[in-house]
Amino acid sequence: MKPARVLVVDDNPTNLKLASDVLDCAGFEVWKAADAEEALAVIQRTKPDLILMDIALPGMDGLTLTRRLKADASTRDIRIVALTAFAMKGDDEKAFAAGCDGYIPKPIDTRKLPAQIADLLQRSSPPS
Amino acid sequence: MQVDLANLSLEENPDACILTSADGRVRFWNRGAEEVFGYAAAEALDQSLLDLVLQKSDLEAAREKFQQTAAGAPAVWECAARRKDGLLIYVDLSLKTVRRPEAGIDLMSVTAKDVTPLKVARDANLLEAKYRGLLDSTPDAIIMVNTTGRIVLLNGQAEEVFGYPRRDLIGQPVEILLPERFRGGHVGYRGNFLSQPRARPMGAGLELFGLRRDGVEFPVEISLSPLETEVGTLVMSAIRDITERKIQERRVQEANRLKSEFVANMSHELRTPLNGIIGFSEFLIDEKPGPLNPKQREYLHDILESGRHLLQLINDVLDLSKIEAGKMTLSPERFSVSEAMGEALTVIDAMAQEKGIDIRTAIDPQLGKVTLDRAKFKQVLYNLLSNAVKFTDDGGEVRIRAARSGPDRFQVQVADTGIGIRREDFSRLFAAFEQLESGADRRFQGTGLGLALTKRIVELQRGTIAVDSEVGKGSTFTVELPLAAEEVMA
């Protein structure tokens, strides 16, 4: 079976590398982007199955990008998982309201992350 | 032109000249009566005079005067009357019967003279001589008001605070010193105070404002007390201009807000690099990128532990600052104490097994479910249990008991056989950043924030925490909490 394609979007290079390497090591095909623009460029080139999306991004933030992708018929079926360091009450609701399919608070647990991603990918596709 | 002088004298009389029927209903009401009582003739006609202008407490005495006059002995007396606008005034009343049996006339002539200014001036002089020196020696503005709400005495501080010279205030209704919007309510409030006079302390209750002569409002604190004098009951009010203090309070609030914001931002900024430190060391220890030799594994383990310790510290500081800023929220839910205890213990059990410590739990089956913030309750349990295990030597014991302690409260007790705490250290125990064995020989890892945070969380839920201990024998921490806590929103 072809490995699932995951796009990791994070403006912090260390955290971007960490999440990417952990997923890469777990057998996913990983793409990276440091902001919304880079993410859109990657999505045009190769449509990922899932995006691990940092919320606080310079320029267009992660929630805005999520809303945009979920409004577009050609990208609507990409799973989007919000990733944020602000593990505050209400942040998860904001993420779901923007159209995210999952929510992972930072700091990420490297031992659980691959399973969390695989689990989200296995759920039935969102209606497109 | 013929002038009816008798009629003119009646019309132009500054006093109230009134005629009532034998049963006290108004039959005639001159212009003076309109001035004195504030009712137009049309409003007063046919009304019961006494019910219209007197206070309930004075009705009985006035009816007697009417009967006495009707029996042939005209009455003259002074009493308080209420104007249409609610203001109380002092009036001299005189009664006389007017009978013309041949014309079928049986009336009562009532004359009422407003003596408020006279009486206030008289009272003011008397009080001034007696109390002025005393009042000028107090730091607060003091204003004395008589039963009709007229200012009868004030000290120099009051002149200064309100910006009026004394002569402009004596005899004025005290409402002149209030912003317009409070005046109507104050007249009624004043009446209530006089019907049940009791001392009321500074600043009890409401946000109050004064009005200076130049129209500027300022926040005040007022205490009221009734004062019995030879001229009747007075209300003494001590007034303090708290403009400065309000400004200071706002500054402190602003500084606190900035501090909390700073702590919240800082902890976020600190957490981001920690994400890398903890994540990569975990990743390496798991040998995902490749095999490690034993020393590398040991050092990575040290990095990981230090990173986790730092993360705990940051979380605790953030929690403490949230509680101090009043921003910690509570979301109570119904859950079983033994279930929550089990969850907290799964984390502790590994630590306890490593040190060979025996943990035993006794939860009263009658305790059942409680309604508290479950995560915060578990945080409290976890802090107490991890302390108990941490400060108990290998092979020791930790005992947990939970049971009801009152109709709506319960207790959780965590007892260990650890190193114990000296009695003189009990008070320092719950202070932030205090670990009792601090210094070079500090054997125990910890943030020094655990108990400070635990105490704050317990108190936020209206609970208490207490400690009992003996050095070398062990410590017992007792937390008492309500069975149901109220929701706390930030």
Side-chain angles (χ1 to χ4, degrees), chain B residues 18-29 44-50 63 66-67 69-70 95-99 104-110:
Chain B
I18 301 160
L19 287 172
T20 73
S21 58
D23 64 352
R25 300 213 166 257
V26 175
R27 291 283 174 254
F28 174 76
W29 188 263
L45 282 177
D46 282 337
Q47 302 285 329
S48 156
L49 174 66
L50 298 185
R63 285 203 186 100
F66 264 69
Q67 279 158 13
T69 305
L95 301 182
K96 184 179 170 299
T97 52
V98 181
R99 287 187 177 129
I105 289 175
D106 182 6
L107 298 172
M108 187 72 78
S109 163
V110 184

Side-chain angles (χ1 to χ4, degrees), chain B residues 146-172:
Chain B
N146 68 9
T147 44
T148 65
R150 298 300 202 287
I151 297 170
V152 290
L153 184 60
L154 63 151
N155 63 359
Q157 290 84 326
E159 287 180 287
E160 205 172 298
V161 164
F162 288 99
Y164 287 92
R166 166 185 328 270
R167 62 175 182 282
D168 288 0
L169 285 179
I170 297 287
Q172 292 294 328

Side-chain angles (χ1 to χ4, degrees), chain B residues 12 71 88 105 322 341:
Chain B
E12 294 303 323
L88 288 179
I105 289 175
K322 265 196 217 158
M341 188 81 76

Side-chain angles (χ1 to χ4, degrees), chain B residues 36-322:
Chain B
V36 171
F37 294 113
Y39 293 98
E43 293 174 296
L45 282 177
D46 282 337
Q47 302 285 329
S48 156
L49 174 66
L50 298 185
D51 291 324
L52 188 65
V53 302
L54 292 191
Q55 294 178 280
K56 280 210 174 65
S57 52
D58 294 331
L59 278 177
E60 200 52 45
R63 285 203 186 100
E64 267 172 37
K65 304 277 186 192
F66 264 69
Q67 279 158 13
Q68 172 198 327
T69 305
V76 178
W77 80 104
E78 184 187 287
C79 81
R82 186 182 295 283
R83 285 170 48 90
K84 186 187 179 185
D85 57 15
L87 218 54
L88 288 179
I89 52 174
Y90 291 109
V91 287
D92 270 352
L93 286 167
S94 38
L95 301 182
K96 184 179 170 299
T97 52
V98 181
R99 287 187 177 129
R100 302 282 188 279
E102 66 284 3
I105 289 175
D106 182 6
L107 298 172
M108 187 72 78
S109 163
V110 184
T111 310
K113 182 181 187 60
D114 182 352
V115 294
T116 313
L118 281 174
K119 182 171 163 57
V120 169
R122 210 167 57 218
D123 292 354
N125 285 336
L126 199 99
L127 292 166
E128 173 119 7
K130 206 164 169 185
Y131 296 111
R132 179 70 197 278
L134 179 69
L135 295 192
D136 277 342
S137 68
T138 78
D140 292 321
I142 304 245
I143 291 178
M144 287 206 197
V145 170
N146 68 9
T147 44
T148 65
R150 298 300 202 287
I151 297 170
V152 290
L153 184 60
L154 63 151
N155 63 359
Q157 290 84 326
E159 287 180 287
E160 205 172 298
V161 164
F162 288 99
Y164 287 92
R166 166 185 328 270
R167 62 175 182 282
D168 288 0
L169 285 179
I170 297 287
Q172 292 294 328
V174 68
E175 281 75 23
I176 193 177
L177 302 176
L178 266 62
E180 192 85 41
R181 62 185 185 282
F182 296 121
R183 287 181 188 168
H186 192 260
V187 171
Y189 176 73
R190 211 169 67 204
N192 290 342
F193 182 84
L194 279 167
S195 64
Q196 276 180 314
R198 65 184 170 83
R200 221 190 60 155
M202 275 271 185
L206 313 156
E207 293 249 307
L208 302 169
F209 293 90
L211 180 68
R212 288 175 54 86
R213 187 192 201 179
D214 57 16
V216 175
E217 283 184 27
F218 57 98
V220 291
E221 227 174 37
I222 297 181
S223 66
L224 298 174
S225 49
L227 187 69
E228 295 298 334
T229 70
E230 52 270 59
V231 300
T233 304
L234 300 181
V235 178
M236 186 173 96
S237 46
I239 300 144
R240 190 173 293 172
D241 181 346
I242 54 169
T243 308
E244 268 309 304
R245 208 181 67 201
K246 287 276 170 190
I247 292 171
Q248 288 300 335
E249 278 173 13
R250 265 200 297 278
R251 280 202 193 119
V252 169
Q253 273 171 10
E254 177 63 9
N256 264 331
R257 198 187 58 74
L258 287 175
K259 188 191 80 178
S260 303
E261 207 170 90
F262 173 77
V263 170
N265 285 336
M266 187 189 70
S267 72
H268 177 230
E269 294 305 318
L270 290 174
R271 256 204 277 230
T272 305
L274 265 180
N275 192 30
I277 295 172
I278 294 172
F280 278 116
S281 32
E282 220 171 54
F283 194 47
L284 284 171
I285 286 176
D286 292 349
E287 301 191 314
K288 291 288 164 66
L292 296 168
N293 68 39
K295 271 293 166 198
Q296 288 170 333
R297 189 196 311 275
E298 183 194 327
Y299 296 154
L300 277 169
H301 186 79
D302 292 341
I303 294 173
L304 182 58
E305 278 315 303
S306 304
R308 283 185 178 148
H309 183 186
L310 198 49
L311 183 62
Q312 186 58 49
L313 195 59
I314 291 164
N315 288 341
D316 285 359
V317 166
L318 187 61
D319 277 357
L320 265 177
S321 93
K322 265 196 217 158

Side-chain angles (χ1 to χ4, degrees), chain B residues 304-371:
Chain B
L304 182 58
E305 278 315 303
S306 304
R308 283 185 178 148
H309 183 186
L310 198 49
L311 183 62
Q312 186 58 49
L313 195 59
I314 291 164
N315 288 341
D316 285 359
V317 166
L318 187 61
D319 277 357
L320 265 177
S321 93
K322 265 196 217 158
I323 291 178
E324 268 160 21
K327 284 199 178 146
M328 176 70 86
T329 55
L330 287 180
S331 333
E333 56 181 302
R334 242 171 101 71
F335 63 89
S336 122
V337 172
S338 64
E339 256 181 53
M341 188 81 76
E343 286 164 20
L345 278 171
T346 52
V347 190
I348 300 293
D349 271 339
M351 279 166 67
Q353 268 171 26
E354 225 170 89
K355 295 179 78 177
I357 291 170
D358 178 41
I359 298 186
R360 277 193 206 161
T361 314
I363 297 173
D364 185 346
Q366 300 215 313
L367 178 55
K369 293 197 169 177
V370 297
T371 307

